[in-house]
């Protein structure tokens, strides 16, 4: 079994879900008392969020690159950045390490393609929804058209992530807001909706809506399980 590297803490709430999902995945595959071999460095999200808000992406990339090097030095054989938004600096992180980076949007694109999805809705932070680092990968590499909510809806999605979900607060009123937005995306032709922030699955799950949901944290964790168990050629 290969050792999985996690770059977490963004937020720790979703990182805890990653840890649980990866270990469950390994146990399901191998049975018994098996669990994943994991190395993790967890950063202080307050420092990262401050750089996000100030649009200091290069500095944020440097912070994550240093943390990624610590993960590699501890023996990890791959790296997962356990957040969608900070994949904006994925290339900067990737250049700082020698182990492969498993990109969350790439793993998601593979799942969407396997299910013949050609038009998808995207929820996430304002950065993920409005900037092209995430959407462009899905559109260019997988030919998937990505739809995002209207401006006022994006504002609500972003606020709920940072003011509630990243603090572990799950509120019924916010769930209702998200479900309305998901329905609007489906009405505009989306065949499903990407939960493109790793905390969103705390709020909405498939039991809440008829619209197919794609939980990127779960998809990313499964990609890590597959990497850990793949045989060397």
């Amino acid at each position: 079994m290969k050792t999985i590297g996690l770059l977490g803490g963004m937020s720790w709430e979703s990182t805890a879900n990653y840890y649980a999902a990866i270990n469950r995945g390994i146990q399901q595959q191998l049975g018994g008392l098996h669990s994943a071999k994991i190395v993790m460095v967890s950063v202080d999200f307050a420092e990262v969020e401050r750089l996000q808000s100030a649009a200091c992406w290069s500095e944020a990339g440097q912070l994550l690159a240093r943390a990624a090097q610590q993960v590699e030095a501890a023996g990890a054989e791959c790296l997962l950045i356990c957040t969608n938004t900070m994949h904006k600096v994925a290339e900067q992180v990737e250049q700082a390490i020698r182990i492969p980076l498993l990109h969350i949007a790439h793993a998601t694109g593979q799942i969407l393609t396997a299910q013949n999805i050609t038009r998808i809705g995207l929820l996430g932070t304002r950065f993920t929804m409005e900037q092209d680092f995430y959407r462009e990968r899905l559109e260019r590499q997988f030919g998937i058209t990505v739809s995002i909510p209207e401006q006022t809806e994006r504002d609500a999605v972003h606020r709920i992530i940072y003011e509630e979900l990243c603090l572990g607060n799950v509120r019924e009123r916010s769930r209702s807001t998200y479900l309305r937005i998901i329905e609007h995306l489906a009405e505009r032709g989306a065949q499903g909706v990407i939960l493109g922030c790793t905390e969103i699955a705390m709020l909405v799950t498939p039991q809440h809506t008829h619209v197919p949901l794609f939980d990127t944290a779960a998809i990313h964790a499964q990609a890590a399980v597959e990497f850990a168990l793949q045989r060397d050629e």
Side-chain angles (χ1 to χ4, degrees), residues 4-230:
I4 298 164
L6 300 181
L7 183 46
M10 300 168 283
S11 67
W12 73 262
E13 295 279 352
S14 65
T15 303
N17 292 334
Y18 264 88
Y19 185 81
I22 291 170
N23 278 290
R24 281 195 298 267
I26 291 292
Q27 200 215 21
Q28 288 168 2
Q29 291 295 317
L30 300 181
L33 296 177
H34 284 288
S35 56
K37 295 180 180 180
I38 294 175
V39 171
M40 180 171 68
V41 171
S42 190
V43 301
D44 181 357
F45 188 36
E47 297 176 7
V48 176
E49 190 278 332
R50 187 163 53 248
L51 294 171
Q52 290 176 343
S53 296
C56 295
W57 295 105
S58 179
E59 291 88 339
Q62 291 171 13
L63 187 158
L64 294 196
R66 289 192 295 269
Q69 290 170 337
Q70 291 178 284
V71 175
E72 181 178 23
E77 295 171 84
C78 72
L79 179 73
L80 281 72
I81 303 174
C82 299
T83 166
N84 286 272
T85 297
M86 293 312 295
H87 278 74
K88 180 175 174 64
V89 299
E91 185 175 344
Q92 193 173 348
V93 172
E94 196 168 20
Q95 290 173 351
I97 57 177
R98 296 182 299 275
I99 57 177
L101 184 147
L102 305 186
H103 198 293
I104 195 168
H106 186 82
T108 301
Q110 289 180 315
I111 293 295
L112 295 175
T113 298
Q115 297 192 25
N116 297 315
I117 300 293
T118 59
R119 188 176 183 88
I120 195 73
L122 173 63
L123 300 182
T125 66
R126 182 178 297 112
F127 314 112
T128 301
M129 291 186 289
E130 296 178 356
Q131 299 180 21
D132 62 6
F133 68 92
Y134 196 96
R135 292 182 296 156
E136 187 177 72
R137 181 175 286 258
L138 293 176
E139 292 170 347
R140 186 181 68 249
Q141 294 192 9
F142 297 95
I144 298 169
T145 300
V146 179
S147 298
I148 61 174
E150 302 296 335
Q151 180 67 63
T152 57
E153 295 176 328
R154 297 199 299 271
D155 291 343
V157 169
H158 183 89
R159 180 190 60 76
I160 289 167
I161 289 169
Y162 279 91
E163 296 182 10
E164 298 176 21
L165 299 181
C166 286
L167 299 174
N169 297 325
V170 176
R171 298 176 180 171
E172 189 62 40
R173 182 172 61 182
S174 296
R175 177 179 290 121
S176 297
T177 297
Y178 268 55
L179 292 174
R180 284 196 302 272
I181 295 169
I182 288 168
E183 190 64 38
H184 292 166
L185 288 168
E187 290 170 356
R188 290 165 48 199
Q191 297 166 277
V193 173
I194 296 171
L195 306 185
C197 175
T198 50
E199 286 84 11
I200 296 177
M202 297 163 53
L203 186 65
V204 292
T205 67
Q207 71 182 21
H208 296 123
T209 176
H210 67 94
V211 179
L213 302 179
F214 295 87
D215 177 358
T216 53
I219 291 169
H220 207 195
Q222 183 57 36
V225 170
E226 293 171 2
F227 178 91
L229 298 180
Q230 70 185 11

